[in-house]
Amino acid sequence: MCGIGGLVYTRGTPPYGQDVLDRMATALQHRGPDGAHFARFPHADLIHTRLSIIDIAGGDQPLSAGSGTLIANGEIYNDPEIRAEIGPDHFKTGSDCESPLRLWERHGADFPRHLRGMYAIALYDSAQDELLLCRDPFGIKPLYFTEFDGGVAFASEPAVLLAAGLAPRTESSSARDELLQLQFTTGRETIFKGISRVLPGETLRIVQGRILNRQRLSPLLSRPDTHHTLTEEAALARLDDALMNSVQAHERADVPFGLFLSGGIDSASLLTAMSRLPRPEKLRTWTAVFDARNAADEADAATALAHAAQTEHQTVRITTAMVWQHLPAIAACMDDPAADYAIIPTWFLAREAARDVRVILSGEGGDELFAGYGRYRSAVRPWWKGGRRMWRQGMFDRLDTLRQRPAHWRDGLMAAEMCAANAPTRLSAVQSVDIAEWLPNDLLLKLDRCLMAHGLEGRTPLLDPFVADLAWRLPDTLRVRDDKGKWLLRRWLEQHCPAARPFAPKQGFTVPIGTWIAQDGARLGQLVAQQDCIQEIARPERVRALFQAAAGRKTGPAAWTLLFYALWHRTHIHGLAPAGDVFETLSRPL
């Protein structure tokens, strides 16, 4: 796992000096603490900071072949198969990232179609003065770009472009409204004016410093319900093959790895699959637990599973004091903002895991592919049975806190809904919306930033093409049955790990953010209300009242969203580094 960045220039544009490249490399260092390398050309500059995972001694980048030079952030899981097909004599290193370079020699810009993995890749052809920017189909790995008068700059994170002075710290009000109402932002444009995302599965072709065209791969190449005659027994056998194949591929590493274990269906399935594979030492697992009274978690279930699997297990207890101490740094790592309070346990788990391993497997994607969310079941019910549209209300609807109700916060979701309108079932349509927007712009973004803040690589075996293709072919009856989602995954877990009790009622995993805020509601409310970015969008007296009532089911998440936004705004719009705990940071003048 690494950080990448660079620039391509139009003809006649002088390249930036080394100082700009050094600022980019410094901003990327947390993604690649094992070293920075540059490649400079007359019309392009490439930067790579490395987190060594495979071929530690010989896998430094950039990698070159002929006129092509590649830098990549990711893992290519079909690297062994590619090497066998092309022939090992054609490879100079043991790095899995050499495979895309060799595929490019054969297939040109279509080389991503032959990759199985998570990746953000920049490949520059000096002979044609052409840059390809490529991102994996689910958007597991991030990639951003900005256009300027003399060309295009790109990086793994928007913060890199901001730190180098390649884009202004100017906020988009429409994206801000999305963040407030949804807790994430959708589509190509980020919250920063002028900084865009390379979309999941997209390849940008940039010739002589100008974007020439785009092509895009879908993460879901098969159509749902194409196997409507597939029996449950046959589906279970195929799921077993796909899961074991994926987990085995995701375990390839020359460094120690572990698993985040929540006690839920997804991580329990990964643990079960991992337990069936031989390994020279005990698997390491981590679970978060909170100190707040009545906080819902599945730590006991996770501990029991870890004990049954004989893992080296650690429970990370997160206290209120820890949250207030580190929250400015947590918000700062989310440069492309997602106000998902699950960033808190993810950040703390990553900090602990980084002491022992460099790779973490995690269960992101299971709910989206196997239909685990309750909102899916609600969305597909007829209206007379309580069916409701997904994301029908925004975070601040009916709270009378904002000065103006955001008018267009649902536009990005509506565009995704229109794209999913031709799905063969209502269930697959609502899943498609989440896979297009919620998954890459919240869940995977959170995992990437919180782990990379500690120099950890995150891997998501449930988003492997082998698993995704099988899941997407399932008829609805093997996704949802008896008002339970993830039916087939539960049945598989019941067969291979009955101790997980996959059909038992689940307590769930809820971050007690409202309880934490309510304990210091008056103090926090006053500090948040006086921030310039909050005063612009909300009435201070209503903000203070919201924080004092933060223990409520709706008021707690809304108060958290304003707290996150206030901290994020100081770092990424005003350019101020976190200074002390949350109270000290918010008290400092701008």
Side-chain angles (χ1 to χ4, degrees):
M1 195 57 56
C2 306
I4 65 173
L7 305 103
V8 286
Y9 309 98
T10 57
R11 297 296 174 117
T13 300
Y16 279 99
Q18 185 65 39
D19 59 326
V20 171
L21 305 184
D22 288 341
R23 288 200 297 270
M24 294 180 74
T26 298
L28 285 166
Q29 186 176 14
H30 63 283
R31 299 188 69 90
D34 296 330
H37 297 86
F38 303 86
R40 304 208 69 175
F41 302 91
H43 303 294
D45 291 305
L46 304 179
I47 307 158
H48 185 267
T49 61
R50 188 180 183 205
L51 176 63
S52 305
I53 302 295
I54 293 176
D55 191 10
I56 294 172
D60 285 345
Q61 299 181 34
L63 298 169
S64 297
S67 62
T69 301
L70 174 144
I71 52 176
N73 165 31
E75 301 292 342
I76 307 303
Y77 300 123
N78 63 335
D79 173 61
E81 292 79 6
I82 294 170
R83 288 173 180 267
E85 179 182 348
I86 294 177
D89 293 343
H90 290 82
F91 289 79
K92 298 177 182 178
T93 74
S95 170
D96 57 307
C97 289
E98 188 176 353
S99 283
L101 185 61
R102 300 301 171 183
L103 288 171
W104 168 77
E105 290 183 299
R106 289 191 166 195
H107 303 288
D110 283 337
F111 77 89
R113 296 182 181 276
H114 305 271
L115 295 178
R116 172 191 180 189
M118 57 177 187
Y119 53 83
I121 294 172
L123 201 160
Y124 181 65
D125 182 350
S126 57
Q128 302 298 322
D129 192 12
E130 175 178 299
L131 176 73
L132 300 176
L133 296 180
C134 315
R135 192 176 176 202
D136 67 79
F138 278 108
I140 303 169
K141 292 291 96 187
L143 191 55
Y144 302 84
F145 67 95
T146 185
E147 298 179 77
F148 59 96
D149 287 343
V152 177
F154 66 92
S156 295
E157 299 178 4
V160 177
L161 302 173
L162 298 174
L166 297 169
R169 296 182 183 273
T170 306
E171 186 179 33
S172 161
S173 59
S174 59
R176 177 202 61 200
D177 289 348
E178 266 193 324
L179 176 66
L180 294 172
Q181 291 285 69
L182 290 173
Q183 297 187 304
F184 66 99
T185 65
T186 65
R188 181 182 300 280
E189 303 310 317
T190 71
I191 199 168
F192 301 103
K193 288 184 178 179
I195 299 181
S196 303
R197 300 176 177 115
V198 177
L199 295 176
E202 191 172 48
T203 295
L204 266 61
R205 183 169 171 242
I206 304 169
V207 178
Q208 296 184 10
R210 295 291 180 230
I211 297 174
L212 188 63
N213 59 43
R214 300 177 169 96
Q215 60 186 29
R216 196 172 180 191
L217 293 173
S218 169
L220 305 170
L221 299 179
S222 62
R223 288 179 60 82
D225 212 29
T226 54
H227 282 188
H228 60 277
T229 59
L230 188 67
T231 66
E232 186 169 315
E233 291 71 21
L236 284 168
R238 295 188 185 189
L239 178 59
D240 186 66
D241 288 342
L243 277 176
M244 295 307 299
N245 185 298
S246 176
V247 168
Q248 187 169 33
H250 281 70
E251 285 193 359
R252 291 175 189 152
D254 295 335
V255 294
F257 59 85
L259 171 70
F260 284 170
L261 185 62
S262 70
I265 299 297
D266 300 331
S267 62
S269 298
L270 294 183
L271 177 62
T272 301
M274 295 171 82
S275 299
R276 293 165 61 187
L277 295 172
R279 63 188 70 257
E281 58 185 21
K282 279 189 174 183
L283 177 67
R284 295 179 176 92
T285 53
W286 289 265
T287 297
V289 64
F290 308 112
D291 69 341
R293 181 179 299 177
N294 300 323
D297 63 61
E298 294 182 338
D300 290 344
T303 301
L305 283 172
H307 179 75
Q310 298 182 335
T311 73
E312 187 175 318
H313 187 64
Q314 183 176 349
T315 298
V316 179
R317 181 168 293 277
I318 301 172
T319 68
T320 310
M322 290 166 60
V323 172
W324 296 150
Q325 179 184 354
H326 295 286
L327 187 57
I330 297 172
C333 81
M334 301 296 298
D335 59 332
D336 188 356
D340 184 337
Y341 37 70
I343 62 176
I344 296 172
T346 305
W347 192 92
F348 282 110
L349 285 170
R351 186 180 68 161
E352 290 301 314
R355 304 176 193 272
D356 300 311
V357 300
R358 303 198 82 175
V359 176
I360 283 292
L361 274 63
S362 187
E364 272 74 11
D367 284 303
E368 290 76 19
L369 285 175
F370 290 93
Y373 294 130
R375 65 175 182 262
Y376 292 163
R377 300 190 289 282
S378 175
V380 300
R381 294 188 191 109
W383 64 269
W384 62 87
K385 291 186 177 181
R388 296 177 296 180
R389 183 177 64 170
M390 289 203 311
W391 311 104
R392 70 193 188 284
Q393 288 188 357
M395 183 65 63
F396 287 90
D397 286 0
R398 301 180 183 177
L399 285 180
D400 194 30
T401 301
L402 302 181
R403 294 186 184 276
Q404 291 184 330
R405 184 181 184 274
H408 301 288
W409 65 272
R410 249 193 137 267
D411 286 359
L413 288 178
M414 289 175 62
E417 289 167 347
M418 290 180 64
C419 290
N422 293 327
T425 70
R426 293 175 65 188
L427 179 57
S428 59
V430 296
Q431 288 177 268
S432 295
V433 173
D434 271 355
I435 290 169
E437 298 293 353
W438 158 259
L439 183 62
N441 298 323
D442 186 309
L443 302 182
L444 295 173
L445 177 66
K446 167 203 68 182
L447 186 70
D448 175 82
R449 297 303 201 277
C450 291
L451 267 64
M452 292 309 303
H454 301 285
L456 272 180
E457 172 176 297
R459 297 184 179 181
T460 52
L462 295 180
L463 292 176
D464 183 82
F466 280 45
V467 179
D469 185 68
L470 183 278
W472 206 239
R473 291 173 183 269
L474 295 176
D476 286 358
T477 55
L478 292 182
R479 304 185 208 189
V480 177
R481 189 181 300 179
D482 298 336
D483 207 35
K484 289 187 181 294
K486 294 194 277 199
W487 179 266
L488 190 69
L489 200 57
R490 291 175 190 269
R491 285 281 292 115
W492 180 88
L493 197 55
E494 184 181 49
Q495 281 189 355
H496 296 280
C497 185
R501 303 178 64 229
F503 287 97
K506 292 294 179 180
Q507 186 176 4
F509 181 83
T510 303
V511 180
I513 191 64
T515 301
W516 288 333
I517 291 175
Q519 292 172 3
D520 284 292
R523 186 181 178 191
L524 279 171
Q526 178 62 33
L527 288 171
V528 171
Q530 70 186 26
Q531 304 301 309
D532 65 339
C533 63
I534 299 299
Q535 292 186 1
E536 181 182 346
I537 62 173
R539 292 177 292 173
E541 71 280 4
R542 294 300 302 163
V543 172
R544 291 190 289 268
L546 181 71
F547 273 74
Q548 293 189 54
R553 183 176 180 181
K554 188 169 177 62
T555 53
W560 152 256
T561 300
L562 292 182
L563 174 59
F564 171 88
Y565 176 65
L567 292 168
W568 175 89
H569 198 274
R570 293 180 69 94
T571 297
H572 296 292
I573 299 300
H574 290 294
L576 300 175
D581 66 17
V582 67
F583 304 102
E584 293 168 326
T585 296
L586 292 174
S587 296
R588 290 180 180 267
L590 296 174

